[in-house]
Amino acid sequence: MSVNNACCSISPVVCHKYEAKGEYITLNGLKTYVTGPESATEAILIIYDIFGFFPQTIQGADILANSSENRKYRVFIPDFFEGKPADISWYPPATKEHAESMNAFFSTQAMPEKTLSRIPGVVEGANKIAAGGTGFAKWAIVGHCWGGKIASLSAGKDNQIFKAAVQCHPAMLDPADAAEVKVPMALLASKDEPAGDVAAYKANLKVPNHVETFSSQSHGWMAARSNLSDTHVQKEYARGYQTILGFLEQNL
């Protein structure tokens, strides 16, 4: 089965006023969006981009949770920025003030080590509310943009949680990280990620992988910066999530 042909049926993508299917709970002290059947035995941790909770990201979580015919997932998006994400007007920086705000954000709120250290507690909290009370049988991690870096590092040599990982239009893509990845990895790049870095990352992977560039799409097309009022972006957004589902079908 191709990763682009998962046994799933994605509902039509909503471009305006998306109504979330899940709810917000607290896990390890963090506001967390949770969606998907309560009976699910497998889980996905989504690491959002620097803009936090956005309808496009929430809709993507709902797609992953509810679209597969063969697998049902409980999907969690913790608010690692604790209500203080980056302002989407800062990117791309149009003024000196925007650039300064973005730099300050990355040096405080978005330091990878800060987020990585909190992931085990979030997963532990989620496992406590899994069906049957025995925890989820398997976990995958999906990261958007900045979250892609977190997903890549989380799948590295110290990983004891995740069985598969996915990066969507990753920021700070470092081919050196790929050599440390210990579980199957998918990387869905946009036209804006350096092609050389994408190729080098794939070359360094020693695990089953799917690396694909969506050449018509801009950085962020599967998360907060996706212009879902554009019918072609809608199509590629849906195809991206279909690809993730197919990858997880094969590798989780």
Side-chain angles (χ1 to χ4, degrees):
M1 180 188 297
S2 166
V3 294
N4 292 305
N5 293 299
C7 294
C8 61
S9 178
I10 294 176
S11 300
V13 175
V14 176
C15 61
H16 297 294
K17 297 182 179 179
Y18 179 73
E19 294 185 9
K21 295 179 172 64
E23 62 180 340
Y24 290 91
I25 63 173
T26 300
L27 285 179
N28 198 37
L30 297 175
K31 178 180 178 180
T32 302
Y33 180 73
V34 57
T35 184
E38 292 185 5
S39 60
T41 59
E42 298 174 316
I44 299 171
L45 181 70
I46 292 181
I47 311 296
Y48 53 28
D49 58 26
I50 61 171
F51 307 117
F53 293 123
F54 255 71
Q56 300 95 314
T57 308
I58 297 298
Q59 184 170 185
D62 288 341
I63 288 171
L64 294 179
N66 299 291
S67 298
S68 175
E69 296 175 7
N70 299 325
R71 310 277 280 271
K72 299 300 179 185
Y73 304 106
R74 197 77 163 143
V75 180
F76 300 87
I77 310 179
D79 184 15
F80 287 115
F81 299 146
E82 299 185 83
K84 297 179 180 179
D87 190 317
I88 200 166
S89 69
W90 298 345
Y91 187 86
T95 66
K96 179 182 177 182
E97 289 73 20
H98 288 171
E100 290 174 347
S101 295
M102 187 68 77
N103 289 337
F105 178 82
F106 271 100
S107 65
T108 54
Q109 292 287 84
M111 295 177 66
E113 313 82 56
K114 181 178 179 181
T115 298
L116 290 167
S117 66
R118 304 183 80 173
I119 287 176
V122 170
V123 169
E124 181 181 1
N127 280 332
K128 290 179 180 177
I129 61 172
T134 57
F136 293 100
K138 296 178 181 178
W139 277 88
I141 184 169
V142 175
H144 299 296
C145 305
W146 165 84
K149 180 70 170 183
I150 303 302
S152 184
L153 294 174
S154 293
K157 61 182 179 180
D158 297 325
N159 173 39
Q160 297 182 4
I161 297 173
F162 302 107
K163 302 298 184 184
V166 179
Q167 301 178 66
C168 304
H169 38 76
M172 299 178 286
L173 185 63
D174 185 351
D177 293 343
E180 302 292 340
V181 171
K182 302 303 181 186
V183 297
M185 171 67 74
L187 194 166
L188 309 186
S190 76
K191 65 182 180 180
D192 295 325
E193 283 77 62
D197 289 347
V198 173
Y201 190 97
K202 178 176 175 58
N204 285 349
L205 287 170
K206 304 169 186 176
V207 295
N209 64 83
H210 177 81
V211 177
E212 180 177 359
T213 297
F214 287 62
S215 59
S216 66
Q217 295 306 296
S218 300
H219 181 78
W221 98 93
M222 290 182 67
R225 298 186 68 239
S226 183
N227 177 17
L228 293 180
S229 62
D230 182 307
T231 55
H232 182 64
V233 174
Q234 274 193 37
K235 178 181 177 181
E236 293 297 83
Y237 173 93
R239 186 168 74 87
Y241 282 101
Q242 183 105 9
T243 301
I244 294 174
L245 285 164
F247 178 79
L248 296 180
E249 180 88 12
Q250 291 184 5
N251 293 286
L252 184 61

